[in-house]
Amino acid sequence: MKFFVDTADVDEIRELADTGLLDGVTTNPSLILKSCRNIMEVTKEICGLTDGPVSAEVTAMNYDGMMSEAAVLAEIADNVCIKLPLTMDGLKACKALATQGHQTNVTLCFSATQALMAAKAGATYISPFIGRLDDMGIDGMELIEDIRTIYDNYDYDTQILAASIRTVNHVKDSAIAGADVATIPPSTLKALVKHP
Ligand code: E4P
């Protein structure tokens, strides 16, 4: 299983990258805001800390806006992965960017049919939001299991990136359910090796 860290805090990323156990990074607009830094500048620095993919998210809601933002983000570094919302416009942008050879992360996935659509759009990663589903009383792990079954049924290459992870058990259960990757907040990632 691959581990991404879900943060825009460069000190945390550097510390985790130094372990050799980090496979990539995901950011989102809230995390960038929390870092108090410019998205271009902080994303460039993060891309230099890992060889793995660094998800940088578009904020536009329409296809043209997403494509313009993606063009700018993709220029930052070769390991930028364009993060797009799971809307019809986001899927259209995903298809276009995948055709151009870019890595894509389709985010805000809450159902198996949404994940199926993302795979059809050629997404590199699909991000089901485990914690937010749990908040609504819906079992996020069932969603991972369903996506795993669907992707295996049709040999889709899209990787399941368990997101909105809040606990060590979310990581364990995602691994059991067959997620390819988990993106984990720094404190939870460190807690994976905690002794009682
Ligand atoms: C990952 O790519 C997402 O941005 C992140 O996991 C969202 O998590 P949250 O539900 O804690 O905002």
Side-chain angles (χ1 to χ4, degrees):
M1 188 182 210
K2 284 183 276 187
F3 285 163
F4 294 171
V5 64
D6 197 27
T7 185
D9 182 326
V10 289
D11 292 331
E12 294 274 23
I13 296 167
R14 191 175 292 109
E15 183 188 341
L16 288 161
D18 278 351
T19 64
L21 300 172
L22 190 66
D23 301 296
V25 178
T26 54
T27 67
N28 62 39
S30 313
L31 293 171
I32 297 285
L33 200 65
K34 214 168 137 193
S35 77
C36 299
R37 294 184 59 188
N38 169 279
I39 181 171
M40 299 295 290
E41 179 199 290
V42 74
T43 306
K44 192 176 174 63
E45 189 172 345
I46 294 170
C47 287
L49 296 174
T50 176
D51 293 332
V54 175
S55 289
E57 189 165 344
V58 301
T59 54
M61 297 297 286
N62 58 63
Y63 172 78
D64 289 335
M66 288 179 202
M67 291 302 287
S68 309
E69 284 184 39
V72 175
L73 293 172
E75 281 298 309
I76 296 176
D78 287 345
N79 55 337
V80 165
C81 174
I82 309 295
K83 198 171 176 188
L84 302 150
L86 210 159
T87 59
M88 213 42 113
D89 279 39
L91 292 175
K92 186 177 168 187
C94 175
K95 181 73 186 171
L97 291 165
T99 305
Q100 290 170 16
H102 294 293
Q103 294 193 76
T104 53
N105 174 357
V106 175
T107 189
L108 296 165
C109 172
F110 295 96
S111 79
T113 51
Q114 289 178 337
L116 176 56
M117 292 292 273
K120 282 187 73 66
T124 315
Y125 301 99
I126 180 69
S127 290
F129 269 39
I130 304 313
R132 293 199 188 211
L133 281 168
D134 281 3
D135 291 346
M136 297 189 296
I138 299 169
D139 186 356
M141 290 310 145
E142 248 178 58
L143 175 57
I144 302 229
E145 286 164 15
D146 288 349
I147 300 172
R148 181 75 282 153
T149 302
I150 291 169
Y151 283 6
D152 289 349
N153 281 349
Y154 296 97
D155 279 336
Y156 282 123
D157 289 334
T158 301
Q159 296 180 52
I160 303 172
L161 199 181
S164 189
I165 295 246
R166 309 253 169 88
T167 65
V168 166
N169 277 343
H170 277 160
V171 179
K172 180 194 77 172
D173 293 339
S174 298
I176 291 170
D180 300 286
V181 194
T183 188
I184 312 169
S187 55
T188 311
L189 219 164
K190 290 174 193 167
L192 294 180
V193 290
K194 233 175 208 164
H195 285 277

